[in-house]
Amino acid sequence: KQEVTQIPAALSVPEGENLVLNCSFTDSAIYNLQWFRQDPGKGLTSLLLIQSSQREQTSGRLNASLDKSSGRSTLYIAASQPGDSATYLCAVKTRDSGAGSYQLTFGKGTKLSVIP
Amino acid sequence: NAGVTQTPKFQVLKTGQSMTLQCAQDMNHEYMSWYRQDPGMGLRLIHYSVGAGITDQGEVPNGYNVSRSTTEDFPLRLLSAAPSQTSVYFCASSYRSPGLAGSYEQYFGPGTRLTVT
């Protein structure tokens, strides 16, 4: 069974700092890995999707990397801003043997606070 | 293009009551799923569907029923609500590519906050 772990559970940084969020998974046979942002009381917003054949994806100040063989992904946020404060979730998509489809397994998230 | 919509946004039920959480998407996605999110537990898959007429169980299916009569809609039914079903429920959808299964991005609805007293 796929398990996804995110470390740290919470992180507080001063504005302007660069930071890295970590995600690890136990089964390397994944289709893709997706990073989400969740603001308090809101739904999930997709940030970046990395296919299993890719090493990294970039969007603005965000860069996500994937090392499938070691079961790790990182989300790098450059020049953090107070508006980046949110919970960041990673999720991996793996094959589901039941219906011949796939399932998305989530980590429990890293709660980021960027202090002005 | 509204994306994934969920109704209601908030609901309070008494133990034993039944209700249906609605989910709809207008992106012609084959794959739809329901998750619940609880503090300290993360998001857990309840049920999913790979197309109209096809559903399957996820990690925590007990106490919930689903059906998929159309591509657009995927309602979640609580048969007899229990306090343990107090949670935030999210519906999600994506394409299901037969060639590169599972490659596509998941889109989430805004969630339904359910309280069972």
Side-chain angles (χ1 to χ4, degrees), chain A residues 1 31-32 34 36 38-49 51 87 89 93 95-109, chain B residues 31 35 37 40-45 48 50 54-59 88 90 94-97 100-111 113:
Chain A
K1 178 187 170 187
Y31 286 110
N32 63 41
Q34 198 167 350
F36 294 89
Q38 186 175 28
D39 293 287
K42 303 292 185 184
L44 278 71
T45 301
S46 179
L47 297 173
L48 289 165
L49 173 73
Q51 307 291 2
T87 296
L89 298 162
K93 187 170 285 184
R95 186 84 174 171
D96 169 31
S97 58
S101 181
Y102 56 85
Q103 289 202 11
L104 203 62
T105 305
F106 282 84
K108 293 181 181 177
Chain B
Y31 186 88
Y35 294 85
Q37 185 176 36
M41 301 292 293
L43 280 104
R44 293 179 292 170
L45 182 65
Y48 64 96
V50 299
I54 307 170
T55 64
D56 207 346
Q57 296 181 349
E59 184 184 352
V88 182
F90 289 102
S94 72
Y95 288 113
R96 182 195 180 204
S97 169
L100 289 171
S103 295
Y104 286 104
E105 194 170 348
Q106 290 263 350
Y107 294 85
F108 279 77
R113 291 185 174 273

Side-chain angles (χ1 to χ4, degrees), chain A residues 18-29:
Chain A
N18 302 326
L19 60 102
V20 174
L21 307 181
N22 297 293
C23 173
S24 62
F25 46 94
T26 55
D27 183 353
S28 61

Side-chain angles (χ1 to χ4, degrees), chain B residues 24-37:
Chain B
Q25 51 89 14
D26 60 358
M27 296 172 281
N28 204 31
H29 286 166
E30 302 96 334
Y31 186 88
M32 295 185 74
S33 52
W34 277 101
Y35 294 85
R36 60 178 288 173
Q37 185 176 36

Side-chain angles (χ1 to χ4, degrees), chain A:
Chain A
K1 178 187 170 187
Q2 179 73 269
E3 292 181 5
V4 180
T5 303
Q6 290 188 247
I7 294 172
L11 180 64
S12 184
V13 300
E15 181 178 1
E17 206 167 274
N18 302 326
L19 60 102
V20 174
L21 307 181
N22 297 293
C23 173
S24 62
F25 46 94
T26 55
D27 183 353
S28 61
I30 66 170
Y31 286 110
N32 63 41
L33 184 145
Q34 198 167 350
W35 282 94
F36 294 89
R37 169 187 172 133
Q38 186 175 28
D39 293 287
K42 303 292 185 184
L44 278 71
T45 301
S46 179
L47 297 173
L48 289 165
L49 173 73
I50 311 178
Q51 307 291 2
S52 62
S53 58
Q54 297 175 324
R55 297 285 292 182
E56 66 177 337
Q57 283 285 338
T58 298
S59 175
R61 294 183 294 107
L62 305 180
N63 175 276
S65 68
L66 174 64
D67 184 342
K68 203 171 67 159
S69 60
S70 68
R72 292 180 186 175
S73 176
T74 60
L75 179 67
Y76 175 83
I77 303 177
S80 59
Q81 303 170 357
D84 294 331
S85 298
T87 296
Y88 291 80
L89 298 162
C90 78
V92 296
K93 187 170 285 184
T94 49
R95 186 84 174 171
D96 169 31
S97 58
S101 181
Y102 56 85
Q103 289 202 11
L104 203 62
T105 305
F106 282 84
K108 293 181 181 177
T110 293
K111 186 175 181 180
L112 174 66
S113 299
V114 180
I115 312 300

